[in-house]
Amino acid sequence: MAEPKKICVIGSGNWGSAIAKIVGANAAKYDKFDTTVNMWVFEETVNGRKLTEMINTDHENVKYLPGHKLPPNVLAVPDLAESVKGADILIFVVPHQFIVRVCDTIKDHIKKDAVGMSLIKGVDASPEGLKLISAVIREKLGITVTVLMGANIANEVAEEKFCETTIGCKDKALGPMLKDLMQTNNFRVTVVEESDVVEICGALKNIVAVGAGFCDGLGFGDNTKAAVIRLGLMEMIAFARFFCTDCQVCPATFLESCGIADLITTCYGGRNRKVGEAFAKTGKSIEQLEKEMLNGQKLQGPATASEVHLILQHKNMVDKFPLFTAVHRICLDGHSVTDFIRCLQNHPEHM
């Protein structure tokens, strides 16, 4: 019988803790997984106690996922390099701005045949063009990397309300094991091979959600938001077709949880929509709102919009993606938030 696979969750914010709850329960249930699940926790002091100590004693992440018990086999580890030692499956759940630093810290401490799974919604922009977070991890660590994206608001997942998610995994042999690790009665997993498209959906929908928030803040209704979702989805599909040159982009992937479902959820709930609304109402900067509203969490939408804008500039394609461009210019270039409605009015019906 094969050795049980050891799991490490790298990150312990809202989503990381919700995933650790699922993974911890499944690791305890299946013999194919080692029972103890390590979770790297950035050490903080909360109410005079170390956060790792609170998680390991009270089995609750009181800062980022209060009110939800983590399985007792989830072990909070404050040392990043220590947390990954011996792990066969590394689940990355940190803000995308930190992934390079994380990889640099762990690269000499991981197993050579470890498998990565990225739950990180964002892209990395460079003069050469688009780089997916999974590709950054793969290049830095030299390991196989899969992705998980879906309509998964962390608190609802932690509350065990039914939802679906999508795993993108090019290796057919790995898919069933990863599905066993993640699936529960209330967290239904579909595995698809188009992992690049799955990941692009997860990154781009946050840009669209900021735009949906602008509409809410400006007092527009559900009809306007439906237009934002449709036009945003068109830009997501066009972007995937342009940048996924090494695979056939199948329209059916956008019908999975990682596509239209995640887009709708994020445009009605989620922090990107919420901060977008506050931005339109208050005129405060994104950085200021992040500090005031997110309890130390990072906002992905404006940062992704900025990275996508850089890529589109390099390719001379800014005008072809008016919604993405408007979000970037409003958040980071000082354009008026009312420009967003103008962008919708002038958006091409088809792309």
Side-chain angles (χ1 to χ4, degrees), residues 20-38:
K21 186 179 175 193
I22 288 174
V23 169
N26 282 345
K29 177 176 157 188
Y30 292 110
D31 291 340
K32 66 179 80 172
F33 302 117
D34 187 296
T35 308
T36 302
V37 172
N38 283 1

Side-chain angles (χ1 to χ4, degrees), residues 195-207:
S195 63
D196 290 355
V197 178
V198 171
E199 190 170 2
I200 279 177
C201 285
L204 298 182
K205 56 96 193 188
N206 282 327
I207 306 176

Side-chain angles (χ1 to χ4, degrees), residues 202-248:
L204 298 182
K205 56 96 193 188
N206 282 327
I207 306 176
V208 184
V210 174
F214 292 161
C215 289
D216 289 341
L218 292 167
F220 288 84
D222 286 342
N223 293 343
T224 310
K225 196 181 283 192
V228 171
I229 290 170
R230 185 185 83 82
L231 297 170
L233 182 63
M234 280 202 322
E235 291 196 15
M236 284 166 63
I237 294 169
F239 192 93
R241 285 194 170 135
F242 189 80
F243 289 98
C244 288
T245 47
D246 60 344
C247 70
Q248 182 67 35

Side-chain angles (χ1 to χ4, degrees), residues 304-339:
T304 305
S306 175
E307 278 146 0
V308 164
H309 188 71
L310 194 62
I311 293 159
L312 295 175
Q313 275 182 318
H314 283 306
K315 302 281 185 185
N316 271 337
M317 295 183 71
V318 168
D319 294 343
K320 293 193 185 310
F321 293 87
L323 190 149
F324 292 170
T325 300
V327 170
H328 164 75
R329 286 177 172 160
I330 292 163
C331 288
L332 297 150
D333 279 356
H335 285 223
S336 166
V337 74
T338 53
D339 285 359

